[in-house]
Amino acid sequence: MYKNALSVALLAILLLVLGLPLRGEDETNVLTNDSVLQMFRWKMKPAEIVALIDRSGENTIFTLTPESIQMLAKAGATPLVLDAMYRATMKASQHIGLSSAISQTPSSPKAITTTPQPPPQPQAAPPSPQPPSPAVPTISGAVPAAGAPVVSLEASVQPRAPVPLRPSSTGSDDERLTRAKIPLVRAQPPHPQQPKSALLVYQLDWNNGIASPGTIYESGDSLLRLTNANTILYTYQFEVNEIKGSGDDLSQWAKLITDTTKLLPSGVPREAYAPEKCQLKKLLRETNRKLTDIRTKIQQMVPDRLSGGNYKSIPLDTSEKAWADIRPKYDGFEEDVTAIQHELSKEACSKESDLSLAVELVLDEFPPMRDRVDEIQKKADAPWQDLSHRLDRTSGYDTTVAELYNNAATEAKSKVFHLERGFNILTLSGGFLVTKLQARSYSSVAQPVAPPAGSPPNTLPGSQNVLSVNGLGSGMRPALVALFNYHDPFSWPLNRPNFGLALSAGPVIDVANGQADTTRFGVFVGGSVHLWQRLFVTAGVHFGEFSDFPQGFQKPGDPIPSNAGTPTGVNRWTGRFALGITFQGKDLSGLVQKSSQPTSSVQKQ
């Protein structure tokens, strides 16, 4: 709350310092270029400066010459600020009630200066003298307002009905004639764009329907880039199905303003045409011929609608060749329109019968064609389409791409690009285990006993039953093991497609007398290192039951009392170190029902 109040107070103080009119104050003070420069020296944000310019209304006098625009740009003026200054200047001119006129002097050939004109008077009486008008801002290099909205390829090539010029006695006619003399904002030249860089980019080739790379090894924000598709004519609709298992336009304005100031004035030099002779009729005839030719060739680029209702699918290279033929013709047409503007400034052409047609060409025919050329050129400069989408390496994806024209399907069949998952959450493996958990067995064996002392020399030795233990020792024994391997979920240098870590656990199957003994239960738990998710080396602990010494016995060779029978070991649970070497088994993703849900649907406009 305090921050908002402080901002309001600072804006009020700034308005007072700059001399901007507040409510109840004298509104004779105006906002100038120096005021805007001072705002940048005060480190004000461009949005705040635009707000102040809009607030000032008609109380502005800005000078927008190439030199002043350069000075403002060096101070930090953005295209938004320059555009606000231009709008304010036009508003101020309308408020004063003046019509614009063009004057190009030898000393300043690039200046476009508005001069005061007396308001029109009734023709019944001569015009009365007018008092001196207030100072009118000088405008040079101003960018006209944005052109007509982008339309479809078919609509953009249709010729307009002729619009006759009204009698010159009305102010509206003078305004149209003046606007027709303002130097053109030219179409953007070809400028092949570089695709946006990203860490994870998957190329979807429209020609062969193959995705490259075809496996997702890293999770994160990714780009699905459709290549070799005819983005000049068609739009492409994406539908990304996740299969679960176990790019500012503002930067272009700065370039537009810079290019515009370099091009002013544009057109044919004065010496190319004799000032005493009007070339308008000849130029207009040739320019209209070029315009018709361009419209025809653009129309020929439009795909036909087939009998089945779908549009024809045209390859990208065909449209590229057609556009390579059209663009130079348009550039020649643009030069001719500039030459017509030059003719409109001649006194010899002021009474020309084709004046209304020339004004119509400049104001009504040229801007839509220029905008359409810009639109097609932008698509030709970037013959790909990107879809930003977050991909998970534990899922596979099917991306279906459909080709559309005017939101209707083409004859081209939709193509499905498959991305295989590169990481499994759970992998089953089976193999061998070497463990230090003993598998003891006990038996009674007869052991010779020496005759007692003092026995006759020929007395034979006796025997006694003692405890015999098999499987006793510090070595390791083999077993079988089946493991569930849960892979490391983190992204770090030791977690790669061909190398990684896992947490493993599974049952141990003992081997007795060369056969698997499933009656003895055991569990092995440990950490695994895997190679290519196929070979797992696991170190851990084998938890299991083993047979300890029988009751009353401490070691092998202990005497067994007569008639005691074979001693039975005492079963106990313990854990001992073990090492497993296992191999990838069946893919467990089949145990879980797969889902195929559309997660994104994007259509290029």
Side-chain angles (χ1 to χ4, degrees):
M1 180 177 65
Y2 294 110
K3 183 177 180 180
N4 293 336
L6 181 59
S7 299
V8 173
L10 289 176
L11 285 175
I13 294 173
L14 182 60
L15 289 172
L16 290 173
V17 173
L18 294 175
L20 295 178
L22 297 174
R23 290 186 178 180
E25 293 183 5
D26 182 18
E27 298 188 1
T28 58
N29 294 328
V30 295
L31 190 65
T32 64
N33 286 35
D34 291 337
S35 304
V36 176
L37 292 173
Q38 183 62 48
M39 294 182 203
F40 283 109
R41 285 193 288 270
W42 288 341
K43 306 299 183 182
M44 288 185 62
K45 296 181 179 178
E48 297 172 343
I49 298 176
V50 171
L52 289 174
I53 294 174
D54 293 340
R55 182 185 178 91
S56 65
E58 300 85 7
N59 296 281
T60 59
I61 294 182
F62 292 129
T63 301
L64 296 176
T65 63
E67 294 76 12
S68 64
I69 291 176
Q70 184 178 11
M71 182 180 300
L72 288 166
K74 288 182 179 179
T78 64
L80 288 178
V81 174
L82 296 175
D83 192 45
M85 295 172 68
Y86 174 73
R87 293 197 308 270
T89 301
M90 298 304 296
K91 185 184 298 183
S93 298
Q94 295 172 2
H95 178 70
I96 294 172
L98 303 176
S99 62
S100 301
I102 303 298
S103 63
Q104 297 187 6
T105 62
S107 59
S108 180
K110 296 187 178 182
I112 304 173
T113 307
T114 60
T115 58
Q117 296 289 339
Q121 300 294 327
Q123 296 184 5
S128 59
Q130 298 297 320
S133 300
V136 182
T138 299
I139 307 171
S140 177
V143 180
V150 176
V151 295
S152 67
L153 185 62
E154 292 175 311
S156 67
V157 299
Q158 302 301 326
R160 296 171 177 263
V163 180
L165 187 66
R166 290 184 289 270
S168 59
S169 59
T170 64
S172 174
D173 296 336
D174 292 339
E175 181 183 357
R176 282 176 59 83
L177 181 58
T178 297
R179 287 170 50 202
K181 298 177 184 178
I182 297 176
L184 302 176
V185 177
R186 293 174 176 253
Q188 293 295 316
H191 180 67
Q193 301 178 28
Q194 295 298 320
K196 183 170 62 175
S197 61
L199 181 62
L200 304 174
V201 179
Y202 298 87
Q203 307 281 348
L204 312 181
D205 193 321
W206 177 257
N207 286 341
N208 55 32
I210 296 177
S212 178
T215 303
I216 305 169
Y217 290 118
E218 297 290 341
S219 300
D221 295 332
S222 307
L223 282 180
L224 300 176
R225 176 164 296 153
L226 182 65
T227 60
N228 292 323
N230 192 346
T231 55
I232 297 177
L233 294 181
Y234 306 106
T235 60
Y236 292 86
Q237 187 177 39
F238 289 77
E239 184 177 294
V240 182
N241 297 320
E242 182 178 6
I243 305 174
K244 289 183 175 293
S246 92
D248 65 13
D249 293 338
L250 293 181
S251 62
Q252 302 300 320
W253 278 96
K255 184 176 185 302
L256 177 61
I257 292 176
T258 301
D259 292 345
T260 302
T261 56
K262 290 180 179 179
L263 292 173
L264 297 179
S266 58
V268 180
R270 289 183 182 272
E271 59 271 19
Y273 298 97
E276 68 280 357
K277 185 177 180 181
C278 180
Q279 302 288 334
L280 187 60
K281 184 182 294 291
K282 177 181 178 181
L283 277 172
L284 192 59
R285 183 172 57 252
E286 179 65 18
T287 305
N288 279 323
R289 185 193 64 77
K290 290 183 179 180
L291 179 59
T292 301
D293 184 46
I294 294 171
R295 282 176 172 156
T296 301
K297 289 186 177 296
I298 292 181
Q299 183 63 39
Q300 291 172 352
M301 292 179 62
V302 176
D304 297 328
R305 197 153 198 169
L306 305 178
S307 57
N310 295 338
Y311 284 94
K312 184 179 180 180
S313 181
I314 300 175
L316 173 62
D317 57 351
T318 301
S319 295
E320 287 179 333
K321 291 177 181 177
W323 181 242
D325 177 59
I326 294 173
R327 182 57 200 250
K329 290 180 170 59
Y330 169 80
D331 292 337
F333 161 74
E334 196 173 68
E335 292 296 333
D336 286 352
V337 174
T338 303
I340 288 176
Q341 284 190 302
H342 178 78
E343 293 298 307
L344 290 176
S345 300
K346 288 182 178 181
E347 182 65 26
C349 294
S350 60
K351 304 300 182 182
E352 181 66 39
S353 60
D354 291 333
L355 190 65
S356 62
L357 296 178
V359 172
E360 176 193 344
L361 176 67
V362 175
L363 296 184
D364 301 328
E365 304 289 351
F366 171 75
M369 180 57 68
R370 177 201 59 206
D371 294 340
R372 186 53 184 153
V373 167
D374 276 341
E375 181 186 359
I376 299 176
Q377 187 64 60
K378 183 178 180 181
K379 293 179 178 180
D381 288 340
W384 67 85
Q385 183 174 338
D386 286 344
L387 172 67
S388 297
H389 194 81
R390 180 171 180 82
L391 302 180
D392 191 335
R393 61 180 179 171
T394 61
S395 298
Y397 295 85
D398 282 337
T399 301
T400 304
V401 182
E403 186 177 74
L404 306 176
Y405 182 79
N406 285 345
N407 295 324
T410 70
E411 62 178 336
K413 295 182 179 180
S414 299
K415 297 187 179 181
V416 179
F417 300 89
H418 180 70
L419 294 176
E420 188 65 47
R421 71 175 184 273
F423 188 88
N424 293 315
I425 299 175
L426 174 63
T427 302
L428 177 65
S429 62
F432 307 100
L433 181 75
V434 287
T435 176
K436 292 184 69 67
L437 183 65
Q438 299 174 351
R440 300 179 187 175
S441 62
Y442 301 94
S443 62
S444 175
V445 297
Q447 181 177 356
V449 179
S455 297
N458 295 328
T459 302
L460 295 176
S463 63
Q464 183 180 12
N465 291 333
V466 297
L467 181 68
S468 175
V469 182
N470 292 324
L472 180 66
S474 59
M476 305 184 77
R477 65 180 182 88
L480 298 178
V481 66
L483 294 179
F484 291 88
N485 305 290
Y486 293 88
H487 293 264
D488 172 19
F490 306 106
S491 295
W492 63 306
L494 291 182
N495 190 351
R496 311 308 303 166
N498 56 357
F499 179 85
L501 306 178
L503 179 63
S504 304
V508 176
I509 303 172
D510 275 311
V511 178
N513 298 323
Q515 296 182 349
D517 184 2
T518 58
T519 61
R520 301 181 64 181
F521 180 73
V523 176
F524 176 56
V525 178
S528 297
V529 175
H530 72 79
L531 300 177
W532 309 286
Q533 298 186 25
R534 302 180 69 88
L535 174 64
F536 294 81
V537 178
T538 309
V541 179
H542 177 194
F543 295 95
E545 189 179 38
F546 80 105
S547 181
D548 203 355
F549 284 100
Q551 190 72 31
F553 293 86
Q554 302 294 327
K555 60 183 183 301
D558 284 350
I560 300 176
S562 300
N563 302 323
T566 302
T568 302
V570 178
N571 290 337
R572 302 182 186 277
W573 285 88
T574 187
R576 292 292 186 270
F577 174 77
L579 183 67
I581 300 176
T582 56
F583 309 92
Q584 182 184 17
K586 180 178 175 60
D587 184 0
L588 291 185
S589 62
L591 302 178
V592 182
Q593 184 177 3
K594 295 184 178 181
S595 65
S596 180
Q597 300 295 330
T599 58
S600 177
S601 181
V602 176
Q603 179 174 336
K604 182 178 180 183
Q605 300 296 331

